[in-house]
Amino acid sequence: MRTTMRRAARATGHLLLVALMACGLWIFITVLLITAVGTLAVVGAWLLPETVLLIRRIAGAKRGMTAAWTGQRIPEAYQPITGTVRERIRIAVRDPGTFTDFRWMVADYFYGALIVLALPLWPLGLVVDGVRSGLLRRAPVVLPLITRIADLEADWSTALLKPSPKTQLAARVEELAATRADAIAAHGAELRRIERDLHDGAQANLVALSLRIGLARRAYDRDPDTGRKLLDEAQAQAEQALTDLRNVVRGIHPPILTDRGLVGAVRALAAGLGSPRASEAERGGGLQVSVEVERLEDDGVRAPAAVEAAAYFVVAEALTNAAKYSGSSRASVRLARMKRGLRVRVADEGCGGADETTGSGLLGMRRRVAALDGTVELSSPVGGPTVIEVRLPCVW
């Protein structure tokens, strides 16, 4: 009975908010009339796009209210209202989202008053359900009706505010076009980075190696000691060139992903950051990283290679940022297998304040994830903590 009452109270609160918004919409009719008169008189036509923008904000608040009740986000698809006054008016009138919002607004003038059906059920429910539950030990029947009324209101709002399939398709096309442009930009930047690393690292070391071998050959007959010294330097140069090449390959696709999989690669990365034998620069001043895995080691099923590479890049970039900028000594990584994707969560207990515009690698992370149709959520208030959560869709 207590659970039923709590649910009914929550539903009543939702319906009260709906009723308050409906009352506000009745007052908003004045704004609509002023806009209509001004548009017909031409001199006030500039009010039309401004009113449409205001309606979008109201509809957005309604979407948020409905999502808070249902737990499911209602997508929105609008054309940006920009340009000259004529262009703004044309976009505001022709945008399908304007009709969707106006249709919901008209309907909400009526079904927004569902609270009048819910309030009388409280005294009746307290009596009837109190007797049924307290004396007869049976399930309540009246108070649950309040929750059903709230569900009905949420269903109507979802159906009215949800964009049409055509509008969602157009928005999806624009999103994919932007994602494709970001992916191309990220790909070009990655190629330039690889070229720079090869030119400044491995290539320079190989050139120096060739010079030392040549000097060693010419010096060996007349001065064997100098020749051996040059050969030793050439060997060290060769080892450095191999190290640089390994770093370049690791930046393209870490071999450890192929050998150990994502879980093993992330654990090795975390162990390397906390290793006492690692240098201060490599381990970020002793960053201790804990790794949690959920449903990724049950049956040995692995995500596609591109998804694993993106997830590893996210973890590596996030931990590097934590080591350099957060000032924290601890961080955590969580890898979770979802029904239709992979979730990666990296958190540290540092000072927060992460900003994508400061060249911290977050923009590159977002681009790489967006290329796979994934999402990145960043929470980094000043004072911390910093939490990065990435969702990558894939088929297991």
Side-chain angles (χ1 to χ4, degrees):
M1 182 65 180
R2 291 182 179 178
T3 302
T4 302
M5 291 181 65
R6 283 195 295 267
R7 291 176 180 174
R10 182 169 175 262
T12 303
H14 172 75
L15 292 173
L16 282 173
L17 291 176
V18 170
L20 290 174
M21 177 170 282
C23 292
L25 290 178
W26 280 103
I27 300 174
F28 191 72
I29 290 179
T30 305
V31 177
L32 296 178
L33 291 175
I34 294 174
T35 301
V37 172
T39 303
L40 293 175
V42 180
V43 294
W46 61 272
L47 287 171
L48 181 59
E50 300 301 328
T51 303
V52 170
L53 289 174
L54 184 56
I55 293 175
R56 288 183 180 183
R57 295 189 184 96
I58 297 173
K62 180 61 178 179
R63 288 187 179 92
M65 186 187 304
T66 304
W69 173 254
T70 62
Q72 296 181 351
R73 176 180 171 272
I74 303 176
E76 60 180 36
Y78 295 119
Q79 297 178 12
I81 300 179
T82 57
T84 63
V85 175
R86 184 186 297 272
E87 292 172 343
R88 289 165 60 86
I89 294 174
R90 180 179 57 82
I91 295 172
V93 172
R94 295 185 178 181
D95 185 7
T98 302
F99 172 75
T100 299
D101 292 346
F102 187 75
R103 179 186 61 183
W104 159 76
M105 185 176 294
V106 172
D108 196 62
Y109 284 133
F110 302 97
Y111 78 85
L114 286 174
I115 187 67
V116 300
L117 299 179
L119 290 179
L121 294 177
W122 269 103
L124 180 62
L126 291 176
V127 174
V128 175
D129 292 340
V131 173
R132 285 178 59 87
S133 300
L135 298 180
L136 303 179
R137 303 294 181 183
R138 295 184 179 180
V141 294
V142 178
L143 290 179
L145 294 177
I146 301 176
T147 305
R148 293 179 185 177
I149 292 174
D151 290 338
L152 179 63
E153 187 280 332
D155 291 341
W156 285 349
S157 297
T158 301
L160 290 169
L161 289 171
K162 187 177 181 180
S164 64
K166 182 179 179 180
T167 304
Q168 292 187 65
L169 179 60
R172 182 61 173 161
V173 170
E174 292 182 3
E175 179 184 352
L176 291 177
T179 300
R180 179 176 177 271
D182 286 342
I184 292 174
H187 179 67
E190 188 72 7
L191 288 178
R192 290 190 295 272
R193 182 192 65 80
I194 294 172
E195 181 182 5
R196 184 177 62 253
D197 290 346
L198 288 175
H199 182 273
D200 298 341
Q203 180 177 320
N205 285 323
L206 289 174
V207 171
L209 172 63
S210 178
L211 292 174
R212 281 189 170 86
I213 292 176
L215 292 173
R217 289 179 58 186
R218 286 193 293 270
Y220 196 80
D221 292 335
R222 66 176 189 275
D223 190 353
D225 292 336
T226 301
R228 281 192 292 270
K229 181 179 179 181
L230 289 172
L231 287 176
D232 291 340
E233 293 177 356
Q235 182 179 3
Q237 202 77 39
E239 292 175 353
Q240 182 61 42
L242 285 174
T243 301
D244 292 339
L245 285 174
R246 291 193 189 99
N247 291 334
V248 172
V249 172
R250 211 175 283 125
I252 299 172
H253 184 85
I256 194 172
L257 278 177
T258 304
D259 298 336
R260 301 190 190 180
L262 178 61
V263 175
V266 170
R267 284 177 172 163
L269 178 63
L273 287 170
S275 173
R277 283 184 272 182
S279 66
E280 283 297 300
E282 289 175 339
R283 63 191 176 95
L287 184 67
Q288 301 296 320
V289 184
S290 62
V291 179
E292 297 181 21
V293 180
E294 181 180 342
R295 299 179 58 208
L296 278 174
E297 298 177 309
D298 295 343
D299 49 13
V301 178
R302 291 178 55 176
V307 174
E308 285 194 342
Y312 182 84
F313 174 82
V314 167
V315 174
E317 186 66 32
L319 291 180
T320 299
N321 289 342
K324 289 183 177 179
Y325 308 115
S326 71
S328 173
S329 61
R330 291 186 298 177
S332 63
V333 178
R334 182 178 180 83
L335 306 173
R337 173 180 172 180
M338 302 185 298
K339 185 176 182 181
R340 296 182 180 178
L342 174 69
R343 185 174 71 247
V344 180
R345 185 180 184 274
V346 184
D348 65 67
E349 302 174 1
C351 58
D355 186 1
E356 295 185 26
T357 62
T358 58
S360 59
L362 294 174
L363 182 58
M365 179 192 304
R366 190 177 293 277
R367 283 178 171 176
R368 184 179 289 244
V369 171
L372 298 175
D373 205 20
T375 59
V376 178
E377 295 181 6
L378 170 66
S379 174
S380 184
V382 176
T386 296
V387 179
I388 299 175
E389 185 166 314
V390 173
R391 295 174 183 263
L392 294 163
C394 67
V395 178
W396 300 94

